[in-house]
Amino acid sequence: MTIKLGDKVPNGVLYEYISVATEECPLGPNAFIVEELVKGKTIALFAVPGAFTPTCSEQHLPGFIEAAEDFKAKGVDEIWCVAVNDAFVMGAWGREYKADGRVRMMADGSGLWTKALGLELDLTERGLGVRSRRYSALLVDGVVKQLNLEETAGYSVSDAQTLLKQLA
């Protein structure tokens, strides 16, 4: 079953590569409980089929990085990029595109959270395995308030500007 407007996102674990160690987070991949991360926050989330892939790297991620201050000005606490990649790859992708401090690069390495959302995309025949569908969403205290799901392989409704307009 696919998640829809008004649903609470399922709990799960996402991983983030931490480049600078703190008391709370050691250097390297750290596990975060989704239920704890979303509590009391407004989160702009976008998901992509894979890190370093053409549309994801040339349009999707850069659009959210460039709009990060606009999202903050509209009350968004955090922006997440979620992909079915490991935390090392997501960390490297974030460093390459200078996402640090603007977009949290959240890894769903085994795709368990993506499957719980009902948003998996099977690209096994193309040699890519099971990935995430491309979408953007607005979560308020863990509840889906907006969901922009790409119905085809294109990139037309899940961009940063569409989600920003929906915040107005």
Side-chain angles (χ1 to χ4, degrees):
M1 185 167 88
T2 302
I3 197 152
K4 60 189 179 314
L5 291 179
D7 288 351
K8 191 162 186 77
V9 293
N11 197 16
V13 178
L14 295 174
Y15 295 83
E16 183 177 24
Y17 188 88
I18 304 299
S19 299
V20 178
T22 64
E23 276 188 34
E24 297 84 29
C25 297
L27 181 68
N30 281 252
F32 293 94
I33 306 300
V34 171
E35 187 175 67
E36 294 170 10
L37 287 179
V38 299
K39 189 174 185 178
K41 291 183 182 168
T42 298
I43 296 166
L45 177 154
F46 67 103
V48 298
F52 291 109
T53 56
T55 301
C56 305
S57 291
E58 294 166 14
Q59 295 176 312
H60 217 165
L61 176 59
F64 278 88
I65 291 171
E66 291 165 10
E69 290 304 315
D70 296 330
F71 277 102
K72 300 274 186 209
K74 291 190 179 242
V76 171
D77 298 300
E78 296 178 355
I79 302 171
W80 295 0
C81 175
V82 177
V84 181
N85 288 110
D86 63 66
F88 294 103
V89 169
M90 293 298 286
W93 193 32
R95 283 190 304 278
E96 177 77 18
Y97 284 84
K98 298 175 179 41
D100 198 34
R102 296 183 278 179
V103 175
R104 293 185 73 175
M105 306 300 286
M106 307 302 279
D108 183 20
S110 297
L112 297 176
W113 194 63
T114 297
K115 287 177 187 171
L117 291 167
L119 296 173
E120 70 274 11
L121 174 65
D122 190 348
L123 297 174
T124 303
E125 288 185 17
R126 294 173 56 192
L128 298 171
V130 176
R131 300 295 183 115
S132 175
R133 291 181 63 185
R134 184 182 306 280
Y135 66 92
S136 67
L138 181 70
L139 309 180
V140 177
D141 198 26
V143 175
V144 180
K145 298 295 184 178
Q146 294 291 338
L147 181 61
N148 305 307
L149 183 60
E150 299 289 352
E151 294 300 330
T152 65
Y155 171 69
S156 61
V157 299
S158 62
D159 60 292
Q161 293 305 311
T162 296
L163 193 58
L164 267 174
K165 289 175 190 165
Q166 292 169 333
L167 288 170

